[in-house]
Amino acid sequence: MSRIGKAPVVVPAGVTVQVKGNEVTVKGPKGELKRVFRQEISFAQEGDVVTVGRKSEDRGVRSLHGLSRTLLNNMVVGVSKGFDRTLEIVGVGYRAAMDGKKLVMQLGYSHPVEIDPLEGVSIAVAKNNAITVSGIDKQAVGDMASFIRSRRPPEVYKGKGVKYQGEVIRRKAGKAAGKKK
């Protein structure tokens, strides 16, 4: 049995979980999330604990068991606390600013890079070089952060670009000037 899949999902106070067949709705102080799970996965709710089960022992169903439990747990955490991802901009002249809800970045191109946030995701800029992406859907927050990073990923010689906070960039040595054989 999956170690992750058999762990119960504890529902905190202020969050409600409704299970109708394979459709799960989670409501909390930050919002509401809905997800339709596969037919092979079953949910049992007892008070403030939801357990995830599976209907067969096939290999594919076993692999979905832990995934479904993690997705449900992310929904519960998202509507109660939310998720956020911080990006850092490194480089001379590289900066970001907000224009209404739109993110505008100067990343060394001849034009500014403008990004509209996904629905349910908010973007905030601090100190011109720190971007915070937040929302209740973990996948949407990660997708938006990844999209922003993809506009100018960090390069390996000087480390310039957009990187996740805490990301370690493996640096390469430049050309060895005047090296003779």
Side-chain angles (χ1 to χ4, degrees):
M1 186 120 193
S2 169
R3 276 187 242 159
I4 294 172
K6 67 183 177 183
V9 177
V10 179
V11 180
V15 176
T16 60
V17 177
Q18 293 179 338
V19 179
K20 292 180 184 170
N22 62 338
E23 183 178 309
V24 178
T25 305
V26 181
K27 293 179 185 173
K30 295 219 176 231
E32 175 182 344
L33 290 173
K34 251 183 210 181
R35 179 174 229 115
V36 177
F37 290 91
R38 297 275 301 262
Q39 292 289 337
E40 298 91 350
I41 303 299
S42 61
F43 297 94
Q45 187 174 5
E46 298 168 10
D48 64 345
V49 175
V50 179
T51 55
V52 180
R54 57 182 182 230
K55 296 179 181 174
S56 75
E57 293 297 318
D58 292 340
R59 183 179 179 145
V61 177
R62 287 195 322 247
S63 67
L64 289 172
H65 187 204
L67 170 69
S68 299
R69 188 260 176 210
T70 302
L71 291 173
L72 176 62
N73 189 57
N74 286 344
M75 290 168 66
V76 170
V77 171
V79 298
S80 60
K81 297 177 187 170
F83 294 101
D84 63 341
R85 195 75 197 252
T86 304
L87 298 120
E88 298 171 347
I89 300 177
V90 179
V92 176
Y94 289 16
R95 61 187 179 276
M98 294 300 295
D99 182 20
K101 288 189 173 188
K102 188 182 291 189
L103 174 66
V104 180
M105 297 184 292
Q106 300 291 332
L107 298 174
Y109 297 119
S110 62
H111 58 281
V113 178
E114 297 180 352
I115 297 174
D116 290 318
L118 296 173
E119 189 162 330
V121 175
S122 63
I123 300 174
V125 176
K127 301 182 295 180
N128 292 336
N129 63 354
I131 302 168
T132 303
V133 181
S134 57
I136 62 173
D137 187 358
K138 188 174 187 177
Q139 183 174 353
V141 169
D143 287 347
M144 191 77 243
S146 174
F147 182 76
I148 292 170
R149 183 184 182 275
S150 72
R151 300 303 96 190
R152 177 69 89 172
E155 54 99 13
V156 294
Y157 293 104
K158 292 183 179 178
K160 293 169 46 170
V162 180
K163 67 181 188 112
Y164 296 117
Q165 184 178 32
E167 179 181 7
V168 177
I169 307 299
R170 289 186 56 197
R171 303 285 294 273
K172 284 180 156 182
K175 285 198 296 188
K179 185 176 181 181
K180 295 185 180 184
K181 291 185 179 183

